[in-house]
């Protein structure tokens, strides 16, 4: 995806970076020198790089030439590059900056306004792709946890528990037949003093998608 976008834009390089636990983790490199791939795959989230500044500010960062790069981001001066100018745009999901999409160009000087707008239009697509990548990784981790039966795990709706692993069923004294009957009510299992906590968590989940 990054390679195709880079070729379409006539860019020399492309990078897709995601925010992970207070760091910038590179998801994709295209046309980037091997040394850069090895040394800057994971960086602290600060304003010492165009990507970090873009993520922290939520604004497009344009670096017009090598001198501009060295003056504003001296930590990058030693790295080899085939690009002479750069544009980095924030990737957002639900108004939250989750990473940045950057392209390097062989020519110095300001990037053409049309090219910049195209890059900004591409950012939401890369945001979704990065989100799907995260969801796939979470699903794999979740399935591993469920199938290992180390701890009890269940899946519930506001109306009852619809799925559970063996560890959960054994812990609660239930059987697969109980689960399949649709009669397993998590609310009935919850002590009265904790029901307000559950209700608040459900309300937050419905409003924000997380609790």
């Amino acid at each position: 995806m990054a390679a195709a976008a880079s070729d379409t834009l006539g860019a020399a390089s492309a990078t897709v970076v995601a925010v992970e636990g207070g760091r910038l983790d590179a998801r994709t490199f295209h046309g980037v020198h091997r040394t850069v791939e090895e040394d800057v795959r994971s960086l602290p989230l600060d304003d010492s790089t165009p990507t970090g500044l873009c993520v922290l500010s939520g604004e497009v960062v344009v670096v017009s030439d090598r001198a501009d790069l060295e003056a504003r981001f001296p930590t990058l001066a030693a790295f080899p590059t085939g690009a002479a100018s750069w544009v980095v745009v924030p990737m957002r999901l639900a108004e939250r900056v989750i990473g940045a999409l950057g392209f390097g160009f062989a020519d110095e000087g300001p990037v053409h306004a049309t090219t910049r707008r195209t890059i900004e239009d591409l950012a939401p697509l890369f945001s979704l792709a990065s989100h799907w990548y995260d969801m796939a990784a979470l699903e794999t981790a979740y399935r591993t946890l469920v199938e290992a039966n180390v701890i009890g795990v269940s899946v519930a709706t506001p109306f009852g528990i619809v799925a559970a692993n063996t560890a959960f069923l054994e812990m609660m004294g239930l059987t697969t037949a109980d689960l399949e009957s649709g009669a397993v009510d998590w609310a009935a299992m919850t002590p009265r003093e904790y029901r307000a906590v559950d209700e608040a968590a459900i309300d937050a989940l419905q409003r924000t998608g997380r609790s």
Side-chain angles (χ1 to χ4, degrees), residues 26-38:
R27 290 281 170 83
T28 303
F29 284 121
H30 173 70
V32 173
H33 195 280
R34 184 179 299 277
T35 301
V36 176
E37 288 194 35
E38 294 173 352

Side-chain angles (χ1 to χ4, degrees), residues 13-96:
S13 63
T15 57
V16 181
V17 176
V19 178
E20 294 283 354
R23 296 187 66 83
L24 298 169
D25 285 352
R27 290 281 170 83
T28 303
F29 284 121
H30 173 70
V32 173
H33 195 280
R34 184 179 299 277
T35 301
V36 176
E37 288 194 35
E38 294 173 352
D39 292 350
V40 300
R41 184 163 290 279
S42 180
L43 293 171
L45 177 53
D46 57 33
D47 62 1
S48 65
T49 65
T51 302
L53 178 59
C54 174
V55 169
L56 290 172
S57 67
E59 301 291 338
V60 177
V61 174
V62 178
V63 181
S64 59
D65 54 38
R66 184 75 187 184
D68 187 21
L69 179 75
E70 293 175 357
R72 296 166 62 192
F73 309 102
T75 57
L76 300 182
F79 289 105
T81 176
S85 59
W86 298 263
V87 176
V88 186
V89 301
M91 301 192 317
R92 289 186 170 86
L93 192 67
E95 301 305 315
R96 181 170 58 94

Side-chain angles (χ1 to χ4, degrees), residues 6 8 10 12 27 34 47 81 97 105 120 147 156 193 198 202 205:
S6 182
T8 299
R27 290 281 170 83
R34 184 179 299 277
D47 62 1
T81 176
V97 178
F105 296 86
E120 292 182 40
E147 293 169 2
E193 61 267 27
D198 284 348
I202 291 171
L205 185 63

Side-chain angles (χ1 to χ4, degrees), residues 79 96 103 115 153 165 167 185 211:
F79 289 105
R96 181 170 58 94
F103 291 93
T115 301
V153 179
N165 65 354
D185 183 2
S211 66

Side-chain angles (χ1 to χ4, degrees), residues 9 87 105 110-122:
L9 292 167
V87 176
F105 296 86
V111 174
H112 194 278
T114 301
T115 301
R116 174 172 165 167
R117 283 196 299 271
T118 300
I119 295 172
E120 292 182 40
D121 289 342
L122 285 171

